[in-house]
Amino acid sequence: MSSVIRQIPLDTATQHHAHDFHQIVIGLQGRAEFEIEGLGGAISAFSGCIVPANHVHYYVGQGENRQLILDLPADAPSLTGYHHELSRLFDAPRFFALDTPLKHYLEFLLLEQNNGEQGLSAAQNDRLAATFLGCLHARLGGTASPPGVRRLDLAKLDRYIDRHLACPIAVADLAAQACLSEAHFRSRFREQTGLSPWQYVRRRRLEAARRLLEESRMPLSQIAVNTGFAHQSALTHAFRSTFGCPPSQLRRAVLERSAPEATNRLRHTT
């Protein structure tokens, strides 16, 4: 399938969904808020966000707004073959701002889109998307750490994450704990853990949610809030994709196991 490049306003009432293709959203006018499975942020003109495939995301436009959206199937020419490395952009959601050269390229892309009555062909969309993705990848990819560099204090990061599970956690927040720039922290973190910071935080949120399911009778909606998911449906989607079952199924299994134990305790006390 080919890449699709389109311009739309976002609804001013909060919406949410997930789709089986990657997406990049870039602000052209106004402002919009996004939350992508626990990672929250805002986009305005010349800033944007990366939405990996199958990630539940909540979004809302504010007033008059207009966004440029790139819909990118995993098998699109802009992400396969010679361009296959660009798929690493979608390892995790993130927010970004365009620098001056990318702003100029965006202006060129918009002029190309508006040139002619027939619109762009699929091949043209793929070429324009691949060029943009390549430039963005070069800026967000990070750099390798020199040998012998001090390892990150994961225990300190875990404590910070656990204290702030109910809040949006940005990579910049974690980088500040390690006294590193965001780009340097991303690179060091992946080298040390094999995960992106977002993947690590998401895993920690889900592990906390699983503990609460097993050890408490807290409603699922409250567990979602306490572990940083905007809604119960976002928790359910993430939980199912990670553990292979919805949280309600795990809770039923825990209750079924505990019922015979409670009966046995009652027998021994009578």
Side-chain angles (χ1 to χ4, degrees):
M1 296 177 65
S2 293
S3 309
V4 175
I5 303 176
R6 54 197 174 97
Q7 298 181 44
I8 62 167
L10 294 181
D11 199 323
T12 54
T14 300
Q15 306 290 333
H16 74 280
H17 60 214
H19 35 67
D20 60 2
F21 51 87
H22 303 308
Q23 197 170 68
I24 288 182
V25 183
I26 303 168
L28 300 176
Q29 176 187 349
R31 180 182 168 92
E33 301 275 349
F34 274 77
E35 181 173 311
I36 313 163
E37 293 201 359
L39 179 69
I43 62 175
S44 53
F46 298 118
S47 66
C49 64
I50 293 172
V51 183
N54 299 310
H55 281 50
V56 175
H57 49 288
Y58 293 77
Y59 57 92
V60 59
Q62 297 183 353
E64 290 191 16
N65 69 90
R66 187 163 57 95
Q67 322 297 324
L68 181 74
I69 298 181
L70 283 70
D71 296 327
L72 303 158
D75 59 353
S78 55
L79 291 175
T80 55
Y82 179 77
H83 302 296
H84 72 279
E85 280 295 320
L86 301 183
S87 63
R88 292 294 302 275
L89 272 170
F90 301 96
D91 283 352
R94 69 176 82 176
F95 292 81
F96 60 86
L98 302 185
D99 59 15
T100 299
L102 273 179
K103 289 179 183 177
H104 289 318
Y105 183 73
L106 178 63
E107 291 168 354
F108 165 76
L109 189 156
L110 294 172
L111 287 172
E112 285 290 285
Q113 257 203 329
N114 297 329
N115 185 24
E117 297 179 358
Q118 300 301 318
L120 298 176
S121 67
Q124 287 174 302
N125 274 332
D126 280 318
R127 285 193 291 269
L128 289 168
T131 300
F132 178 80
L133 293 175
C135 294
L136 191 61
H137 183 268
R139 287 155 172 77
L140 300 182
T143 56
S145 302
V149 72
R150 179 175 59 87
R151 290 176 64 82
L152 297 172
D153 186 347
L154 292 182
K156 178 181 178 182
L157 291 173
D158 286 346
R159 289 193 295 272
Y160 179 86
I161 293 167
D162 291 346
R163 287 197 306 270
H164 297 85
L165 274 181
C167 310
I169 299 174
V171 176
D173 299 328
L174 300 178
Q177 295 296 306
C179 300
L180 295 171
S181 71
E182 186 173 336
H184 194 185
F185 177 80
R186 285 182 187 276
S187 176
R188 289 267 302 277
F189 194 90
R190 182 177 286 282
E191 288 175 5
Q192 186 168 329
T193 67
L195 300 170
S196 70
W198 175 83
Q199 289 169 324
Y200 189 89
V201 171
R202 181 175 183 267
R203 186 176 69 178
R204 201 144 187 96
R205 291 187 192 281
L206 287 168
E207 289 172 349
R210 183 167 63 176
R211 285 195 301 273
L212 288 171
L213 284 165
E214 293 175 338
E215 299 171 6
S216 78
R217 298 294 180 90
M218 189 181 295
L220 293 183
S221 57
Q222 189 60 47
I223 290 177
V225 170
N226 287 5
T227 54
F229 292 92
H231 295 273
Q232 183 177 327
S233 59
L235 170 62
T236 297
H237 178 87
F239 201 93
R240 182 187 285 113
S241 65
T242 300
F243 299 122
C245 68
S248 56
Q249 183 176 329
L250 175 63
R251 169 151 284 175
R252 282 197 302 271
V254 170
L255 293 174
E256 288 169 1
R257 287 198 305 268
S258 63
E261 295 172 1
T263 300
N264 287 335
R265 284 197 300 270
L266 183 62
R267 286 173 178 170
H268 285 122
T269 57
T270 57

